[in-house]
Amino acid sequence: MSAKMATRRNSTSRRGSTDMARITASVYTSHVPAVGAALDQGKTHEPYWQPLFAGYEYSKQWLKDNKPDVIFLVYNDHATAFSLDMIPTFALGTAANYAIADEGWGPRPVPPVVGHPELAAHIAQSVIQDDFDLTIVNRMEVDHGLTVPLSLMCGQPQAWPCPVIPFAVNVVQYPVPSGRRCFQLGQAIRRAVESYDGDLNVQIWGTGGMSHQLQGPRAGLINRDWDNAFLDKLIADPEALAAIPHIDYVREAGSEGIELVMWLIARGAMADVKGGPAPLVKHRFYHVPASNTAIGHLIMENPE
Ligand code: DHB
Ligand code: FE
Protein backbone atom coordinates (compact mmCIF):
# COMPACT_ATOMS: atom_id res chain seq x y z
CA MET A 1 0.00 0.00 0.00
CA SER A 2 1.35 3.42 -0.90
CA ALA A 3 1.95 6.02 1.77
CA LYS A 4 -0.92 8.05 0.40
CA MET A 5 -3.29 5.11 0.55
CA ALA A 6 -2.22 4.52 4.13
CA THR A 7 -2.91 8.15 4.93
CA ARG A 8 -6.35 7.87 3.41
CA ARG A 9 -7.22 4.67 5.16
CA ASN A 10 -6.03 6.00 8.50
CA SER A 11 -7.77 9.31 8.09
CA THR A 12 -9.79 10.20 11.16
CA SER A 13 -11.68 12.92 9.32
CA ARG A 14 -15.31 13.01 10.35
CA ARG A 15 -16.02 15.62 7.71
CA GLY A 16 -16.47 15.17 4.02
CA SER A 17 -16.15 11.92 2.18
CA THR A 18 -14.71 13.54 -0.91
CA ASP A 19 -11.17 12.55 -1.74
CA MET A 20 -9.88 16.01 -1.07
CA ALA A 21 -8.09 17.67 1.77
CA ARG A 22 -9.90 20.52 3.46
CA ILE A 23 -9.36 23.16 6.10
CA THR A 24 -12.03 22.52 8.68
CA ALA A 25 -11.11 25.00 11.39
CA SER A 26 -8.65 27.63 12.55
CA VAL A 27 -7.23 28.17 16.01
CA TYR A 28 -5.57 31.36 17.24
CA THR A 29 -3.51 31.62 20.40
CA SER A 30 -0.65 33.40 22.13
CA HIS A 31 2.50 31.37 22.79
CA VAL A 32 4.00 32.97 25.92
CA PRO A 33 7.02 30.85 27.01
CA ALA A 34 6.22 31.22 30.73
CA VAL A 35 2.96 29.39 30.04
CA GLY A 36 4.94 26.37 28.85
CA ALA A 37 7.16 26.56 31.92
CA ALA A 38 4.11 26.77 34.22
CA LEU A 39 2.69 23.63 32.62
CA ASP A 40 5.99 21.74 32.64
CA GLN A 41 6.58 22.64 36.31
CA GLY A 42 3.08 21.63 37.45
CA LYS A 43 1.94 25.17 38.33
CA THR A 44 -1.31 25.32 36.37
CA HIS A 45 -3.45 25.37 39.54
CA GLU A 46 -1.56 28.21 41.19
CA PRO A 47 -3.75 31.33 41.55
CA TYR A 48 -1.70 33.29 39.00
CA TRP A 49 -2.04 30.63 36.30
CA GLN A 50 -5.37 28.97 37.02
CA PRO A 51 -7.60 31.54 35.22
CA LEU A 52 -5.40 31.35 32.15
CA PHE A 53 -5.45 27.57 31.86
CA ALA A 54 -9.19 27.56 32.62
CA GLY A 55 -9.64 29.53 29.39
CA TYR A 56 -8.26 26.55 27.44
CA GLU A 57 -10.37 23.80 29.06
CA TYR A 58 -13.03 24.16 26.37
CA SER A 59 -10.32 24.13 23.72
CA LYS A 60 -8.73 20.87 24.87
CA GLN A 61 -12.10 19.12 24.73
CA TRP A 62 -12.90 20.74 21.38
CA LEU A 63 -9.63 19.45 19.91
CA LYS A 64 -10.39 15.93 21.18
CA ASP A 65 -13.83 16.13 19.58
CA ASN A 66 -12.50 17.65 16.36
CA LYS A 67 -9.22 15.83 15.97
CA PRO A 68 -7.58 16.83 12.69
CA ASP A 69 -5.36 14.64 10.55
CA VAL A 70 -2.80 17.43 10.24
CA ILE A 71 -2.20 20.80 11.92
CA PHE A 72 -0.64 23.52 9.76
CA LEU A 73 0.91 25.59 12.52
CA VAL A 74 1.87 29.19 11.74
CA TYR A 75 4.31 30.53 14.33
CA ASN A 76 7.51 32.46 14.66
CA ASP A 77 10.93 31.23 15.52
CA HIS A 78 12.60 33.34 18.25
CA ALA A 79 16.23 33.29 17.03
CA THR A 80 16.30 29.56 17.81
CA ALA A 81 16.43 27.70 14.47
CA PHE A 82 17.20 30.92 12.61
CA SER A 83 19.33 33.88 13.64
CA LEU A 84 20.51 37.13 12.12
CA ASP A 85 22.72 34.91 9.91
CA MET A 86 19.68 33.87 7.91
CA ILE A 87 16.21 35.41 7.98
CA PRO A 88 13.59 33.62 5.87
CA THR A 89 10.34 35.57 5.68
CA PHE A 90 8.20 32.44 5.28
CA ALA A 91 9.73 29.01 6.07
CA LEU A 92 7.77 25.81 5.45
CA GLY A 93 8.78 22.65 7.33
CA THR A 94 8.86 19.63 5.02
CA ALA A 95 10.63 17.25 7.43
CA ALA A 96 9.33 14.01 8.91
CA ASN A 97 10.32 15.03 12.45
CA TYR A 98 11.27 18.17 14.37
CA ALA A 99 13.32 18.12 17.56
CA ILE A 100 12.33 20.32 20.50
CA ALA A 101 14.78 23.22 20.86
CA ASP A 102 16.83 24.03 23.93
CA GLU A 103 16.07 27.71 24.57
CA GLY A 104 18.43 27.97 27.53
CA TRP A 105 16.83 25.68 30.15
CA GLY A 106 17.01 22.41 28.22
CA PRO A 107 14.40 21.25 25.70
CA ARG A 108 10.82 21.38 27.03
CA PRO A 109 9.67 17.93 28.21
CA VAL A 110 7.12 17.57 25.43
CA PRO A 111 6.72 14.96 22.68
CA PRO A 112 8.73 15.37 19.50
CA VAL A 113 6.86 16.90 16.61
CA VAL A 114 6.02 14.55 13.74
CA GLY A 115 5.69 16.25 10.37
CA HIS A 116 3.70 15.47 7.23
CA PRO A 117 6.26 15.61 4.41
CA GLU A 118 3.81 14.60 1.72
CA LEU A 119 1.26 17.36 2.38
CA ALA A 120 4.05 19.86 3.13
CA ALA A 121 5.74 19.13 -0.21
CA HIS A 122 2.42 19.55 -1.99
CA ILE A 123 1.80 22.88 -0.24
CA ALA A 124 5.31 24.03 -1.21
CA GLN A 125 4.65 23.15 -4.85
CA SER A 126 1.24 24.81 -4.91
CA VAL A 127 2.03 27.96 -2.93
CA ILE A 128 5.32 28.69 -4.69
CA GLN A 129 3.68 28.19 -8.10
CA ASP A 130 0.96 30.52 -6.79
CA ASP A 131 3.69 33.23 -6.59
CA PHE A 132 4.54 33.15 -2.85
CA ASP A 133 8.25 32.58 -2.34
CA LEU A 134 8.77 30.18 0.55
CA THR A 135 11.93 28.83 2.12
CA ILE A 136 11.88 25.04 2.32
CA VAL A 137 13.19 23.68 5.62
CA ASN A 138 14.14 20.01 5.79
CA ARG A 139 15.68 20.13 9.26
CA MET A 140 14.72 22.46 12.07
CA GLU A 141 14.32 22.56 15.84
CA VAL A 142 11.07 24.09 17.05
CA ASP A 143 10.83 26.55 19.95
CA HIS A 144 8.12 27.81 22.32
CA GLY A 145 6.39 29.55 19.43
CA LEU A 146 5.25 26.12 18.21
CA THR A 147 5.26 23.98 21.36
CA VAL A 148 3.34 26.30 23.70
CA PRO A 149 0.24 26.45 21.45
CA LEU A 150 0.32 22.63 21.23
CA SER A 151 0.58 22.41 25.02
CA LEU A 152 -2.29 24.84 25.56
CA MET A 153 -4.54 22.93 23.16
CA CYS A 154 -3.49 19.38 24.10
CA GLY A 155 -2.25 19.51 27.70
CA GLN A 156 0.49 16.99 28.44
CA PRO A 157 -0.08 13.96 26.17
CA GLN A 158 2.42 11.17 25.48
CA ALA A 159 2.30 12.13 21.82
CA TRP A 160 0.77 15.08 19.96
CA PRO A 161 -2.58 14.08 18.45
CA CYS A 162 -1.50 14.31 14.81
CA PRO A 163 1.30 15.38 12.47
CA VAL A 164 2.16 19.08 12.44
CA ILE A 165 3.51 21.16 9.55
CA PRO A 166 5.53 24.04 11.01
CA PHE A 167 5.31 27.32 9.12
CA ALA A 168 7.70 29.93 10.52
CA VAL A 169 7.16 33.63 9.78
CA ASN A 170 9.76 36.31 10.38
CA VAL A 171 8.26 38.80 12.84
CA VAL A 172 11.51 39.26 14.75
CA GLN A 173 13.76 41.24 12.38
CA TYR A 174 12.46 44.07 10.21
CA PRO A 175 11.35 44.13 7.46
CA VAL A 176 8.56 41.73 8.38
CA PRO A 177 5.69 40.78 6.03
CA SER A 178 2.58 42.94 5.89
CA GLY A 179 -0.78 41.87 7.25
CA ARG A 180 -2.09 42.01 3.69
CA ARG A 181 0.60 39.61 2.47
CA CYS A 182 -0.13 37.24 5.33
CA PHE A 183 -3.86 37.32 4.60
CA GLN A 184 -3.25 36.57 0.90
CA LEU A 185 -0.83 33.79 1.80
CA GLY A 186 -3.53 32.16 3.91
CA GLN A 187 -5.76 32.09 0.83
CA ALA A 188 -2.97 30.43 -1.17
CA ILE A 189 -2.50 27.84 1.58
CA ARG A 190 -6.21 27.08 1.39
CA ARG A 191 -5.97 26.56 -2.38
CA ALA A 192 -2.97 24.31 -1.82
CA VAL A 193 -4.71 22.14 0.77
CA GLU A 194 -7.84 21.84 -1.36
CA SER A 195 -5.82 20.64 -4.34
CA TYR A 196 -4.22 17.80 -2.35
CA ASP A 197 -5.36 14.39 -3.49
CA GLY A 198 -6.23 12.78 -0.18
CA ASP A 199 -9.05 12.88 2.34
CA LEU A 200 -7.40 14.93 5.07
CA ASN A 201 -8.98 17.08 7.76
CA VAL A 202 -6.53 19.98 8.17
CA GLN A 203 -6.62 22.67 10.83
CA ILE A 204 -4.64 25.87 10.47
CA TRP A 205 -3.39 27.56 13.62
CA GLY A 206 -2.20 31.16 13.80
CA THR A 207 -0.13 31.84 16.89
CA GLY A 208 1.75 34.65 18.68
CA GLY A 209 0.68 37.93 20.25
CA MET A 210 -1.28 39.59 21.68
CA SER A 211 -0.10 43.04 22.80
CA HIS A 212 3.35 42.86 24.34
CA GLN A 213 6.62 44.68 24.43
CA LEU A 214 9.56 42.89 26.00
CA GLN A 215 12.15 45.67 25.91
CA GLY A 216 12.79 49.39 26.15
CA PRO A 217 10.93 52.13 27.98
CA ARG A 218 7.50 50.70 27.11
CA ALA A 219 8.33 47.13 28.30
CA GLY A 220 5.21 45.55 29.75
CA LEU A 221 2.81 47.45 27.48
CA ILE A 222 -0.63 45.83 27.26
CA ASN A 223 -3.57 47.35 25.35
CA ARG A 224 -6.82 45.54 26.16
CA ASP A 225 -9.00 47.75 23.96
CA TRP A 226 -6.81 47.29 20.91
CA ASP A 227 -6.48 43.54 21.47
CA ASN A 228 -10.23 43.07 21.75
CA ALA A 229 -10.87 45.22 18.69
CA PHE A 230 -8.35 43.01 16.87
CA LEU A 231 -10.31 39.90 17.89
CA ASP A 232 -13.59 41.53 16.77
CA LYS A 233 -12.15 42.47 13.38
CA LEU A 234 -10.42 39.14 12.91
CA ILE A 235 -13.82 37.50 13.21
CA ALA A 236 -15.99 39.95 11.28
CA ASP A 237 -13.81 41.94 8.89
CA PRO A 238 -10.40 40.32 8.40
CA GLU A 239 -9.87 42.06 5.07
CA ALA A 240 -9.98 45.49 6.75
CA LEU A 241 -7.77 44.18 9.55
CA ALA A 242 -5.24 43.01 7.00
CA ALA A 243 -4.86 46.58 5.73
CA ILE A 244 -3.52 47.86 9.08
CA PRO A 245 0.15 48.92 8.69
CA HIS A 246 2.95 47.72 10.95
CA ILE A 247 3.32 51.05 12.67
CA ASP A 248 -0.17 50.68 14.15
CA TYR A 249 0.74 47.31 15.71
CA VAL A 250 3.93 48.71 17.17
CA ARG A 251 2.33 51.89 18.49
CA GLU A 252 -0.79 50.23 19.90
CA ALA A 253 0.29 46.66 20.74
CA GLY A 254 4.01 47.10 21.45
CA SER A 255 7.09 45.96 19.56
CA GLU A 256 6.23 42.26 19.86
CA GLY A 257 2.53 42.81 19.13
CA ILE A 258 3.54 42.49 15.48
CA GLU A 259 3.39 38.71 16.03
CA LEU A 260 -0.36 39.13 15.47
CA VAL A 261 0.10 39.39 11.68
CA MET A 262 0.51 35.61 11.77
CA TRP A 263 -3.13 35.24 12.81
CA LEU A 264 -4.08 36.73 9.43
CA ILE A 265 -2.49 33.75 7.65
CA ALA A 266 -4.83 31.36 9.43
CA ARG A 267 -7.80 33.69 8.96
CA GLY A 268 -7.08 34.02 5.23
CA ALA A 269 -7.45 30.26 4.90
CA MET A 270 -11.08 30.27 6.09
CA ALA A 271 -13.92 29.61 3.65
CA ASP A 272 -15.76 32.95 3.88
CA VAL A 273 -12.78 34.85 2.47
CA LYS A 274 -13.60 33.42 -0.97
CA GLY A 275 -17.36 33.60 -0.74
CA GLY A 276 -18.05 30.66 1.54
CA PRO A 277 -20.16 30.76 4.70
CA ALA A 278 -19.04 32.81 7.70
CA PRO A 279 -17.03 30.82 10.24
CA LEU A 280 -18.59 29.64 13.47
CA VAL A 281 -16.81 31.17 16.44
CA LYS A 282 -16.65 28.27 18.87
CA HIS A 283 -14.57 29.91 21.58
CA ARG A 284 -13.11 33.29 22.52
CA PHE A 285 -10.83 33.99 25.45
CA TYR A 286 -8.77 36.96 26.58
CA HIS A 287 -6.76 37.24 29.77
CA VAL A 288 -4.25 39.60 31.37
CA PRO A 289 -1.58 39.01 32.56
CA ALA A 290 0.47 36.16 31.23
CA SER A 291 4.07 36.96 32.05
CA ASN A 292 4.53 40.35 30.33
CA THR A 293 1.67 39.99 27.91
CA ALA A 294 -2.00 39.72 27.20
CA ILE A 295 -3.11 36.25 26.12
CA GLY A 296 -5.75 35.87 23.42
CA HIS A 297 -7.42 32.84 21.89
CA LEU A 298 -10.10 32.06 19.30
CA ILE A 299 -11.44 28.91 17.66
CA MET A 300 -13.35 29.17 14.39
CA GLU A 301 -14.90 26.35 12.38
CA ASN A 302 -15.81 26.34 8.72
CA PRO A 303 -19.46 25.25 8.59
CA GLU A 304 -19.85 21.85 6.93
C1 DHB B 1 7.42 36.39 25.84
C2 DHB B 1 8.07 35.88 24.71
C3 DHB B 1 7.36 35.70 23.54
O1 DHB B 1 7.92 35.15 22.45
C4 DHB B 1 6.04 36.04 23.46
O2 DHB B 1 5.42 35.90 22.28
C5 DHB B 1 5.39 36.53 24.57
C6 DHB B 1 6.09 36.71 25.76
C7 DHB B 1 8.17 36.57 27.11
O3 DHB B 1 9.39 36.37 27.13
O4 DHB B 1 7.52 36.89 28.13
FE1 FE C 1 6.78 35.30 20.71
Side-chain angles (χ1 to χ4, degrees):
M1 186 169 37
S2 71
K4 185 173 283 184
M5 287 298 288
T7 305
R8 283 181 202 169
R9 183 179 289 184
N10 293 337
S11 170
T12 54
S13 173
R14 68 181 177 82
R15 288 166 185 246
S17 52
T18 55
D19 207 14
M20 166 183 125
R22 53 188 54 215
I23 292 179
T24 54
S26 52
V27 172
Y28 309 82
T29 181
S30 307
H31 62 216
V32 185
V35 168
L39 197 77
D40 300 342
Q41 294 166 16
K43 295 183 176 170
T44 56
H45 292 289
E46 290 186 358
Y48 181 86
W49 292 111
Q50 194 279 332
L52 186 155
F53 286 100
Y56 286 82
E57 281 305 313
Y58 173 90
S59 314
K60 287 193 286 182
Q61 189 58 48
W62 175 88
L63 189 63
K64 284 191 182 129
D65 295 342
N66 296 275
K67 194 172 98 56
D69 298 312
V70 186
I71 295 167
F72 188 93
L73 205 157
V74 181
Y75 76 110
N76 69 291
D77 179 79
H78 299 75
T80 304
F82 306 120
S83 69
L84 294 185
D85 289 349
M86 225 183 287
I87 308 169
T89 301
F90 297 117
L92 174 71
T94 47
N97 294 282
Y98 303 89
I100 308 301
D102 180 349
E103 296 179 67
W105 293 270
R108 288 192 61 214
V110 295
V113 173
V114 174
H116 198 301
E118 195 182 15
L119 178 60
H122 171 81
I123 292 173
Q125 167 74 20
S126 174
V127 170
I128 291 172
Q129 288 299 312
D130 211 355
D131 302 337
F132 290 84
D133 306 318
L134 307 183
T135 299
I136 306 298
V137 182
N138 289 314
R139 185 155 57 92
M140 174 166 68
E141 294 187 350
V142 288
D143 74 9
H144 70 270
L146 183 129
T147 62
V148 168
L150 285 170
S151 295
L152 281 167
M153 293 298 295
C154 307
Q156 295 174 293
Q158 289 298 308
W160 300 122
C162 66
V164 174
I165 298 176
F167 190 80
V169 179
N170 169 42
V171 287
V172 169
Q173 175 65 35
Y174 282 86
V176 305
S178 68
R180 186 182 59 250
R181 187 68 171 159
C182 290
F183 191 57
Q184 290 168 347
L185 176 56
Q187 296 168 45
I189 291 166
R190 179 183 180 80
R191 288 191 288 273
V193 168
E194 290 187 343
S195 63
Y196 181 76
D197 179 18
D199 183 14
L200 288 181
N201 170 345
V202 180
Q203 287 180 7
I204 184 164
W205 294 12
T207 71
M210 293 197 81
S211 58
H212 62 302
Q213 171 143 347
L214 302 177
Q215 69 249 304
R218 296 202 306 162
L221 178 146
I222 287 173
N223 187 341
R224 288 171 188 262
D225 290 345
W226 196 87
D227 285 340
N228 279 290
F230 185 95
L231 295 173
D232 291 342
K233 287 199 205 96
L234 191 76
I235 295 166
D237 195 359
E239 188 136 21
L241 187 63
I244 290 178
H246 289 142
I247 190 67
D248 286 22
Y249 289 83
V250 177
R251 188 195 309 111
E252 301 296 334
S255 52
E256 277 67 49
I258 193 64
E259 288 185 346
L260 282 168
V261 292
M262 296 185 288
W263 293 30
L264 285 162
I265 297 179
R267 187 63 182 88
M270 295 299 280
D272 62 318
V273 175
K274 281 290 167 218
L280 302 171
V281 179
K282 302 298 288 188
H283 188 50
R284 176 173 176 162
F285 178 63
Y286 183 77
H287 176 76
V288 175
S291 182
N292 303 303
T293 88
I295 200 152
H297 176 38
L298 280 171
I299 298 176
M300 296 186 206
E301 286 179 6
N302 277 326
E304 295 192 41

